[in-house]
Amino acid sequence: MMRAGLRPLLPADGEWVRIALFLAVGGAQFVFDAGLFILLTYWGMVPFWTNLLTRFSAAMLGFLLNGKLTFRQSRLGREQLFRYVLLWVFLTLLSTGAVVAIGQVAGVRAAWGMKVLVEILLAVLSFMLMRRWVFR
């Protein structure tokens, strides 16, 4: 049995479905991004521009899927899209800054290992901000 003091720290029962959908959408975004990147670079596109294109395309897929499935929005508007893009840019800058800082302080191998932790923490932050700010 869970102690009553820990209950506020855990998501409500209905939130577990939302979290599972958020993770599934994230997985779909990853597969879309990586698959499209591989395909377009195979066809000869330059990796730098291809990565920007595929990451942004995957972000837009995430906006649609998270908006409709995860956060159950009946209509997605410009204000939500604007907030989503701002959040995406903010999280991308945070991720880049954290990995670069870790790499400068502890070396590139430490950055490789910490990248996973950084992205997990940012995924939690992303979920909370999408729920409370983007798709409110």
Side-chain angles (χ1 to χ4, degrees), residues 29-72:
Q29 286 177 271
F30 172 76
V31 169
F32 179 79
D33 181 9
L36 189 58
F37 178 82
I38 291 166
L39 180 66
L40 293 177
T41 54
Y42 177 79
W43 285 344
M45 283 187 71
V46 177
F48 177 82
W49 296 111
T50 304
N51 189 59
L52 290 176
L53 173 69
T54 62
R55 280 189 50 79
F56 186 76
S57 298
M60 292 302 97
L61 177 66
F63 172 73
L64 292 172
L65 293 178
N66 275 316
K68 291 293 185 180
L69 300 175
T70 306
F71 298 103
R72 305 268 185 215

Side-chain angles (χ1 to χ4, degrees), residues 82-123:
F82 179 73
R83 288 178 179 166
Y84 185 87
V85 170
L86 280 179
L87 177 60
W88 181 76
V89 169
F90 172 70
L91 292 174
T92 299
L93 292 173
L94 270 180
S95 172
T96 302
V99 172
V100 167
I102 293 165
Q104 289 176 344
V105 170
V108 71
R109 290 184 187 266
W112 294 344
M114 292 302 293
K115 168 96 170 123
V116 173
L117 179 61
V118 166
E119 295 304 328
I120 289 170
L121 292 173
L122 290 179

Side-chain angles (χ1 to χ4, degrees), residues 15-27 65-66 68-72 127:
E15 281 296 289
W16 288 111
V17 171
R18 193 175 289 194
I19 290 168
L21 285 168
F22 181 78
L23 293 173
V25 168
L65 293 178
N66 275 316
K68 291 293 185 180
L69 300 175
T70 306
F71 298 103
R72 305 268 185 215
F127 179 82

Side-chain angles (χ1 to χ4, degrees), residues 2-12 16 19 128 131:
M2 190 180 321
R3 291 180 39 193
L6 294 178
R7 194 73 170 138
L9 300 176
L10 297 175
W16 288 111
I19 290 168
M128 292 181 342
R131 183 180 62 197

